[in-house]
């Protein structure tokens, strides 16, 4: 445990000269600069720490580890089911495999090669899985451990794998190839057998053409010694494995897609490319026994029905007490082009077509028995769609679907932002569930979810966790994320506060985002007061309050005019500019105090004071849950649309909401529903602005029509992408998920100092080289000359992989990356290009637009706009001479400036409803390199100071009396009240560095240059092990943690390079060492940076394999045993083993040992070797308990033997004595 005595440090350096440097650099990885201490307070200055602060966190507390992945597997390709273990596996195009069991049992594993998974095969009830990949590799996965690992791999060198089949209770895997050959692999050793079925031996010698790839392999249910091989061109061969010749050949003139056996093994069915099903009898293979085109129109003249779309897969399942089921996908008529993908169920004469929302990837029929030669008794169908997984109940005539217990609808609408809250108030989850449960859908099957395998327990982690996702359609979902599970609690539709846009009115009303105008771009939630704020892409903020009662009321709305333009920048004056003389001098610059409540009529195409959307004016019925309290909209100004909101904060105790964009800042009173402040960023500085910038005169004419200058996404930039890039749900997977090269290392260039967000001025130099910071330095802090181009408007989450072209010369890679990550246009308004926004996370504070402060940057950046990137309400010291904390609003900008606004609140509740709240700049200006990401205050003991909040009370409760209606505020501070007035530490983190200031003296105590060659995307102050630290995620993939307040590096791991913008926009940290990000458009990846959680993770994960007895085969009966074939006498070992079949060619396939480890080898061995080994492994699984039982038994036997011996001795001793002799 390292102690830092601030008093000694400061006192020892009081006499040092102002220019002297002190402190030592400490190494930080990923190009991190040294951390230096900057003492600047005098011995008697207010705010000098007088007590030692013990920092309990060390590097031993930290470790990075992925925990669990939620959501629907992205780009699925394959499906498999173990009918005994009852677990489901899904393979994907990215080489990932998801294994699902009962709720809580959800495992993600990834092939290193990243090749698409072609097919999956369970070793039924053996705890193992075989995957075939597009790179012609077979992998054997061990599922007997909580994190599956590859035990063996077999790489085919000369042939491409097309189909695999593993018979039940067999250790020989049949592998079909593109050349038409069939190979056999020993699952136990993962070595090829010398037995090969060559295509030219299988087909007739007279056949002149190649039969095509193998599309099907299966052994006959009647005789395991017969293998059915289906070739693509329509040839089917029944191969006798013993005699090594074809027993039967069937030919059809349409390509085969799949084959299915009748359980008796006398018939099989094929599906074809013309939409037909053919039924073949083994006794007459010359022609099909029956041919049907289920969806084909019957011709009047008796001709063959017209062809339909291909039937991609068919399953033929028999029932003991009813007609067989024939289930297939595809096969619809060509004349119904707009029909949705469908699954057809034929049961007797009844044909049911189930239409799906998305294309069908694969389906499986779940049956009561794993044995292929028994009545199958199907009870459900699992259908894997491109973006969904559904299970159909076959036991009911209307075929209802089962209610899915997995959180696979995260992507129902594309996710645009995320928030994560760990250790939140425990009553929130039941409350949210109770209001969300009322919206449950009806019509599901009443049976239990059939995928019920594995085992899961709660584990040691018990604190509640909530994840919130914002979506492109304006919906917000609250999820219970406790104990590494995910379950939806409540869904809020923010679009309901606005009028629906009528068709054809888009251009005649207030020009909105063409698609997804309600997309959620930023969220702010206070769990204690239950107040919830949403910023939308159409430049609006909606404030919600929570109520358990339904209410019918009108929605209050405000309009805010927030636009500020300046002339080109004049170089700063060298002399020190004094701070604000007093707060009153700033009052004249508060523009539009009441907001623009009147809508000004448009003159021609010029729009002014018009919001982008129309709020409902009639009373609206609001169900229990989150109810809209206030809608705040930014309006058009002089024909220009409002700019996107880049920061958002709300405080329930103060009753205020603040938000900012690249133009300025607005503060709104929630209680009085008034606009308190609406001013440009430069006005916030007043005379403290180091650059003298004059407002421009309003433009009288525009070079473009306002219609073309609206929030239209990327389509106006790149017309060729208009069709491909849509913000609708369907576009989510149209775009390739290929990584965008960020070229971070190229950032090291002679001009990197400018692009990294600081210039070579004395201020910056003193800051980065460890020199002392004086108050003059703080006031004289440099700010960038040229501003940035206008933001771009809403682009969909589906566009996150689009790499925007960088056309401006002189921008190095970092600039290009910022444009890619944040969607900053490189065009000025004068170039007649439409601007477009991008999604921002809450505090997207990732809005790290670091622009050069030098005047050498291209003149394209003419607008000197400074975005507000971070906001924070807190009880703090606003000025240097303050003796007590007061309500403040901390404002961080994209140029690394930190401004403190004082909030003057009425003293009592009664006055708060009527008296105005005064918001005035305090004159305090602090500076950092790069855009400000986050703020936090620590008290003088180094404990986190939480902002005050109002205890939640139901705003619509009819039972509340006057007493309970009074607001109950919690002015939160863990320390005692007398310590609060002493001093505190302000922790500020930008995209380049972190600083700790002592307040009220405003002395910079510590500064740590986090990175020089990259920049931070996210930074959060989090609690861990009853202490506090700063967690950072860097664009070069590093995750770092720093101690507080001394900013010592505790963790620096190269975790994940930012290969696409989705990760950058959704990554967030929370308390207790948890973090998450959107790993694909459909999946949330959770991780931990806590060593304790890494250690306990095994206990929290579910077991994929549980010991289950394999059901016994039905008694076949005497006659069936006599005439049912010779399957029982078939010995694959004798036929395929090396002794008989010889060795396969070494060049054909290469065996690669896996990394499953000893535990994995033992686990997998249990699934594939003989009965004796299975028994031994089963014993190993219960070894510990059996060992304990053995020891207890031996101990009991020993004590019983000793007792018997002693009893015998006593008996001999007293045998001949009379009773009176004892």
């Amino acid at each position: 445990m390292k102690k830092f005595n601030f008093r000694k440090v400061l006192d020892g350096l009081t006499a040092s000269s102002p220019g002297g440097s002190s402190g030592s650099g400490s190494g930080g990885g990923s190009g991190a600069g040294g951390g230096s201490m900057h003492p600047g307070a005098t011995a008697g200055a207010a705010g000098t720490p007088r007590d030692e602060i013990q920092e309990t966190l060390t590097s031993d507390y930290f470790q990075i580890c992925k925990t669990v992945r939620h959501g629907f597997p992205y780009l699925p390709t394959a499906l498999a089911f173990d009918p005994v273990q009852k677990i489901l596996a899904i393979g994907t195009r990215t080489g990932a495999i998801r294994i699902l069991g009962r709720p809580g049992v959800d495992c993600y594993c990834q092939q290193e090669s990243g090749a698409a998974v072609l097919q999956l095969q369970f070793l039924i009830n053996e705890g193992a899985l075989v995957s075939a990949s597009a790179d012609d590799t077979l992998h054997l996965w061990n599922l007997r451990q909580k994190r599956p690992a590859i035990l063996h791999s077999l790489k085919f060198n000369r042939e491409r794998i097309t189909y695999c089949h593993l018979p039940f209770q067999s250790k020989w895997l049949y592998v079909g190839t593109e050349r038409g050959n069939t190979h056999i692999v020993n699952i136990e050793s993962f070595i090829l057998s010398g037995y090969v079925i060559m295509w030219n031996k299988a087909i007739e010698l007279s056949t002149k053409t190649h039969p095509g790839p193998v599309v099907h392999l299966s052994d006959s249910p009647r005789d395991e010694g017969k293998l059915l091989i289906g070739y693509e061109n329509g040839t089917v061969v029944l191969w006798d494995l013993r005699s090594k010749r074809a027993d039967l050949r069937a030919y059809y003139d349409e390509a085969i897609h799949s084959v299915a056996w009748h359980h008796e093994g006398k018939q099989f069915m094929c599906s074809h490319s013309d939409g037909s099903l053919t039924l073949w009898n083994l006794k007459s293979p010359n022609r099909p026994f029956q041919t049907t085109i289920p969806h084909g129109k019957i011709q009047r003249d008796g001709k063959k029905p017209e062809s339909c779309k291909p039937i991609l897969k068919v399953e033929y399942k028999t029932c003991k007490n009813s007609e067989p089921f024939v289930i297939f996908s595809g096969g619809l008529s060509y004349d119904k082009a707009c029909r949705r993908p469908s699954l057809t169920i034929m049961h007797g004469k009844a044909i049911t077509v189930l239409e799906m929302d998305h294309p069908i990837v694969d389906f499986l029929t779940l049956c009561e028995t794993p044995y292929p030669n028994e009545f199958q008794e199907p009870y459900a169908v699992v259908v894997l769609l491109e973006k969904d997984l559904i299970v159909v109940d076959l036991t009911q005539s209307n075929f209802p679907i089962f209610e899915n217990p997995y959180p696979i609808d995260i992507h129902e609408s594309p996710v645009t932002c995320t928030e994560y809250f760990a250790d939140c108030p425990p009553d929130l989850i039941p409350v949210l569930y109770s209001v969300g449960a009322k919206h449950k859908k009806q019509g599901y099957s009443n049976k239990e979810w059939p995928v019920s395998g594995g085992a899961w327990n709660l584990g040691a982690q018990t604190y509640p966790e909530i994840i919130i996702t914002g979506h492109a359609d304006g919906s917000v979902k609250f999820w219970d994320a406790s104990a590494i599970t995910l379950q939806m609690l409540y869904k809020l539709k923010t679009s309901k506060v606005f009028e629906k846009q009528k068709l054809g009115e888009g251009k005649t009303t207030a020009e909105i985002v063409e698609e997804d105008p309600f997309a959620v771009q930023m969220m702010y939630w206070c769990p204690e007061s239950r107040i919830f704020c949403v910023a939308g892409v159409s430049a609006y903020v909606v404030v919600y309050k929570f109520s358990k009662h339904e209410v019918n009321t009108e929605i209050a709305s405000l309009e805010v005019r927030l636009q500020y333009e300046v002339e080109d920048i004049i170089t700063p004056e060298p002399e020190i500019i004094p701070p604000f003389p007093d707060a009153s001098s700033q009052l004249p610059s508060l523009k539009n105090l009441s907001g623009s409540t009147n809508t000004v009529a448009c003159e021609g195409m010029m729009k002014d004071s018009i919001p982008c959307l129309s709020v409902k004016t009639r009373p609206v019925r609001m169900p229990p849950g989150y109810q809209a309290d206030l809608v705040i909209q930014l309006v058009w100004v002089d024909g220009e649309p409002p700019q996107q909101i880049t920061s958002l904060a709300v405080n329930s105790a103060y009753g205020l909401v603040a938000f900012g964009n690249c133009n300025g800042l607005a503060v709104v009173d929630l209680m009085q529903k008034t606009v308190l402040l609406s001013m440009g960023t430069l006005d916030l500085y007043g005379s403290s602005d180091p650059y003298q910038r004059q407002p421009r005169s309003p433009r009288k004419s525009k070079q473009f029509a306002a219609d073309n200058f609206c929030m239209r996404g990327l389509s106006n930039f790149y017309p060729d992408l208009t069709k491909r890039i849509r913000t609708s749900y369907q576009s989510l997977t149209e775009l390739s998920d290929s990584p965008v090269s960020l070229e971070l290392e190229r950032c090291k260039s002679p001009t990197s100092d400018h692009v990294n967000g600081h210039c070579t001025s004395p201020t910056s130099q003193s800051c980065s080289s460890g020199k002392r910071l004086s108050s003059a330095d703080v006031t004289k802090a440099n700010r960038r000359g040229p501003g940035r181009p206008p933001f771009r408007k809403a682009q969909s989450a589906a566009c996150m992989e689009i790499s925007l072209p960088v056309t401006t010369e002189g921008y190095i890679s970092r600039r290009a990356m910022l444009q890619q990550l944040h969607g900053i246009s490189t065009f000025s308004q004068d170039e007649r290009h439409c601007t477009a926004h991008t999604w921002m996370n809450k505090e997207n504070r990732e809005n790290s637009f670091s622009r050069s402060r030098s005047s050498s940057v291209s003149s394209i950046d003419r607008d000197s706009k400074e975005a507000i990137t971070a906001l924070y309400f807190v009880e703090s010291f606003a000025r240097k001479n303050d003796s007590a904390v007061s309500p403040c609003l901390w404002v961080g900008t994209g140029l690394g400036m930190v401004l403190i606004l004082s909030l003057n609140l009425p003293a009592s509740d009664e006055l708060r409803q009527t008296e105005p709240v005064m918001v005035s700049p305090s004159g305090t200006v602090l500076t950092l390199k790069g855009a400000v990401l986050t703020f936090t205050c620590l008290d003088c003991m180094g404990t986190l100071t939480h902002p005050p909040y109002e205890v939640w009370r139901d705003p619509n409760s009819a039972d509340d009396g006057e007493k309970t209606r009074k607001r109950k505020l919690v002015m939160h501070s863990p320390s005692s009240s007398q310590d609060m007035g002493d001093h505190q530490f302000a922790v500020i983190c930008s995209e380049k560095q972190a600083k700790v200031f002592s307040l009220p003296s405003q002395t910079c105590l510590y500064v740590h240059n986090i990175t020089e060659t990259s920049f931070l995307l996210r930074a959060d102050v989090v609690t861990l092990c009853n202490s506090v630290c700063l967690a950072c995620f860097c664009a070069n993939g590093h995750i770092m943690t720093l101690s507080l307040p001394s900013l010592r590096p505790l963790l620096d791991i190269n975790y994940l390079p930012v290969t696409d913008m989705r990760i950058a926009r959704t990554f967030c940290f929370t308390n207790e060492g948890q973090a998450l990000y959107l790993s694909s458009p459909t999946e949330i990846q959770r991780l931990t940076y806590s060593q304790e959680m890494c250690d306990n993770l095994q206990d929290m994960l579910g077991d994929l394999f549980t010991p289950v007895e394999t059901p016994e085969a039905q008694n076949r009966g005497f006659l069936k045993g006599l005439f049912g074939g010779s399957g029982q006498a078939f010995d694959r070992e004798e036929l395929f083993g090396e002794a008989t079949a010889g060795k396969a060619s070494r060049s054909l396939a290469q065996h690669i040992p896996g990394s499953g480890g000893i535990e994995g080898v033992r686990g997998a061995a249990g699934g594939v070797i003989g009965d004796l080994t299975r028994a031994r492994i089963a014993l190993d699984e219960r070894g510990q308990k059996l060992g304990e039982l053995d020891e207890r038994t031996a101990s009991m036997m020993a004590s019983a033997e000793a007792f018997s011996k002693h009893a015998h001795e006593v008996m001999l001793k007293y045998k001949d004595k009379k009773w009176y002799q004892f």
Side-chain angles (χ1 to χ4, degrees), residues 358 387 408-418 469-477 479 488 491-495 515-520 726-733 796-798 800 839 1062 1066 1078 1080-1084:
H358 314 288
K387 299 182 181 76
I408 59 170
D409 58 344
I410 290 172
H411 62 288
E412 184 180 15
S413 172
V415 177
T416 55
C417 57
T418 57
T469 54
H471 299 263
D473 64 353
S475 60
V476 175
K477 293 180 181 177
W479 306 83
M488 194 164 92
K491 182 177 179 179
L492 171 67
K493 294 181 180 176
T494 63
S495 60
E515 290 163 353
D516 298 331
F518 309 113
V520 177
R726 296 180 56 81
T727 54
S728 60
Y729 175 79
Q730 286 79 6
S731 71
L732 194 56
T733 53
S796 98
M800 289 185 176
W839 307 124
R1062 185 187 311 103
T1066 57
L1078 217 65
S1080 75
T1082 62
E1083 295 168 291
I1084 287 175

Side-chain angles (χ1 to χ4, degrees), residues 790-1000:
F791 289 16
R792 286 201 327 232
K793 299 272 185 299
Q795 101 190 12
S796 98
C799 303
M800 289 185 176
E801 289 84 28
I802 290 295
S803 178
L804 299 178
V806 181
T807 57
T808 311
E809 294 179 6
Y811 293 173
I812 60 171
S813 298
R814 184 182 181 288
R815 178 81 180 245
M817 180 178 183
L818 283 166
Q819 288 162 346
Q820 288 177 341
L821 284 175
H822 302 286
I824 305 165
S825 165
T826 55
F827 308 109
S828 75
Q829 295 175 354
D830 298 331
E831 292 179 299
R832 304 181 66 178
H833 280 279
C834 167
T835 59
H837 283 226
T838 179
W839 307 124
M840 300 289 164
N841 220 344
K842 164 209 162 192
E843 307 163 354
N844 224 1
R845 308 182 179 179
E846 277 84 88
N847 225 327
S848 21
F849 310 129
S850 216
R851 288 294 177 267
S852 167
R853 297 183 186 179
S854 108
S855 57
S856 62
V857 180
S858 165
S859 60
I860 282 181
D861 288 342
R862 287 191 187 143
D863 287 331
S864 179
K865 293 183 178 179
E866 182 173 2
I868 305 294
T869 56
L871 295 167
Y872 187 59
F873 286 103
V874 71
E875 297 276 310
S876 181
F877 298 94
R879 299 172 185 83
K880 277 191 178 184
N881 54 359
D882 284 1
S883 57
V885 294
S886 60
C888 294
L889 172 61
W890 287 63
V891 180
T893 77
L895 299 183
M897 311 306 276
V898 177
L899 310 164
I900 304 179
L901 303 186
S902 293
L903 308 174
N904 191 352
L905 299 165
S908 65
D909 263 1
E910 295 76 19
L911 293 174
R912 178 66 186 84
Q913 301 292 342
T914 54
E915 293 292 316
V917 176
M918 301 301 293
V919 182
S920 56
S922 65
T924 299
V925 181
L926 307 175
T927 180
L928 287 85
K929 286 192 294 184
V932 179
L933 299 183
T934 192
F935 305 106
T936 294
C937 279
L938 310 179
D939 66 13
C940 58
M941 302 303 294
T943 312
L944 189 62
T945 303
H946 294 280
Y949 65 88
E950 177 188 359
V951 176
W952 176 79
R953 59 198 174 104
D954 198 323
N956 304 319
S957 176
D959 307 329
D960 284 350
E962 282 303 314
K963 270 191 176 180
T964 54
R965 297 298 296 177
K966 194 171 182 180
R967 298 172 73 221
K968 182 181 177 184
L969 305 184
V970 176
M971 309 308 280
H972 214 107
S973 174
S975 303
S976 58
S977 56
Q978 62 263 26
D979 289 334
M980 260 313 287
D982 188 7
H983 66 272
Q984 58 182 192
F985 303 111
V987 181
I988 309 173
C989 185
S990 75
E991 62 182 3
K992 307 296 285 184
Q993 65 179 188
K995 285 186 178 182
V996 175
F997 292 90
S998 175
L999 298 180

